[in-house]
């Protein structure tokens, strides 16, 4: 009886594997099609200067406008894109879109923004073409390098250290900014960052969330901002949702903030409206 049950479990397990393999193949096929048929879209989340409250930047965040599943968030397909070797092409597409969009905002006479683009760690692999892709995106769109920023995670700085340093150095020499995303969730230290061609860091939203309730998080955030400033790094707080958090961040000299309090990631037309709302280029997000 035990044997029979075991066999049944095994069959069940196998069926489950088959299903998963099939669904993975479907998703893989779907994602390749998405890239070819323009089903991916880039949304933009405003980044705000903590003193002036003006929108000074926007983060490009990709979504998949799936014909059946609707708007699919990046966490549900970026890992797959990385797995099937599609992330380079996908990432370069986002980069080009972001530069084009930023250039068109500038052409429309809106005050200039720094648009940031997320890079997968794989895009800094020794054989990746990221440097060329960045140069090409700037050249083709005519965007000045100082209005582009790349966001990389601490993880990507720990892999292929040599080639990563060379690539980031080239990109930075071209005038593009580089910031460390989700800072605090990885293992890099600020002293390590000192050796890198980095302009700023974004404190991960997990530290900001409880900032006004947790003494530990308060201490971590305050110390991170202070240390970052001694190294001339700009500090952005991610995931800001309350006025109370703003007050704390302001008191601790944080430079910029991003979060639902100022707006979620928006389709480009909606950010255009937000940018154009106030006259004389003085843009207020709230
Ligand atoms: P991230 O780069 O850390 O982006 C911030 C994420 O936090 C975004 O989620 C954003 O919508 C969300 N967020 C912003 N403000 C708030 C807030 O106040 N509260 C909360 N709870 N969340 C907030 P999203 O767009 O779903 O992106 C998730 C992650 O997917 C990104 O995290 C980034 O790691 C990755 N990603 C997005 N676009 C790209 C891309 O083009 N290439 C690559 N390689 N990764 C991307
Ligand atoms: Mg990011
Ligand atoms: Mg982040
Ligand atoms: Mg994140």
């Amino acid at each position: 009886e035990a044997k029979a049950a075991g066999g049944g479990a095994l069959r069940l397990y196998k069926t489950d594997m088959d299903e998963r393999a099939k669904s993975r193949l479907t998703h893989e096929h779907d994602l390749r099609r998405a890239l070819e048929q323009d089903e991916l879209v880039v949304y933009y989340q405003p980044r705000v200067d903590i003193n002036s409250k003006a929108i000074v930047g926007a983060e490009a965040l990709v979504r998949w406008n799936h014909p059946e599943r609707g708007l699919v968030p990046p966490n549900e397909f970026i890992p797959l894109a990385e797995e099937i070797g599609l992330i380079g092409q996908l990432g370069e597409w986002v980069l080009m879109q972001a530069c084009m969009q930023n250039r068109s905002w500038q052409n429309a006479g809106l005050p200039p923004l720094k648009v940031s683009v997320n890079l997968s760690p794989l895009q800094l692999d020794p054989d990746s073409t990221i440097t060329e892709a960045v140069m090409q995106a700037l050249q083709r769109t005519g965007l000045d390098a100082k209005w582009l920023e790349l966001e990389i995670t601490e993880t990507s700085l720990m892999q292929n250290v040599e080639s990563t340093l060379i690539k980031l150095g080239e990109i930075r020499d071209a005038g593009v900014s580089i910031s460390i995303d989700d800072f605090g969730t990885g293992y890099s230290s600020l002293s390590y960052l000192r050796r890198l061609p980095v302009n700023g860091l974004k404190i991960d939203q997990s530290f900001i969330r409880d900032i006004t309730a947790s003494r530990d998080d308060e201490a971590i955030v305050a110390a991170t901002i202070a240390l970052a400033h001694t190294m001339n790094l700009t500090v952005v707080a991610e995931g800001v949702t309350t006025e109370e958090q703003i007050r704390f961040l302001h008191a601790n000299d944080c430079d910029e903030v991003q979060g639902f309090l100022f707006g979620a990631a928006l389709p480009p037309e909606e950010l255009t409206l937000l940018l154009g709302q106030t006259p004389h280029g003085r843009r207020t997000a709230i």
Side-chain angles (χ1 to χ4, degrees), residues 1-14:
E1 204 190 281
K3 212 175 163 190
L10 189 65
R11 262 199 307 282
L12 241 174
Y13 178 67
K14 180 146 189 322

Side-chain angles (χ1 to χ4, degrees), residues 15 70 104 114-115 124 158 164 179-180 190 270 280:
T15 312
S104 97
K114 193 180 269 191
V115 170
L124 289 162
M158 311 313 259
T164 298
S179 68
I180 310 294
L190 281 163
E270 283 181 41
H280 315 302

Side-chain angles (χ1 to χ4, degrees), residues 48-55 246 262 282-286:
V48 168
D49 180 287
I50 201 164
N51 294 310
S52 69
K53 298 293 189 315
I55 300 174
I246 290 285
F262 303 97
R282 171 83 175 60
R283 296 145 295 157
T284 311
I286 50 171

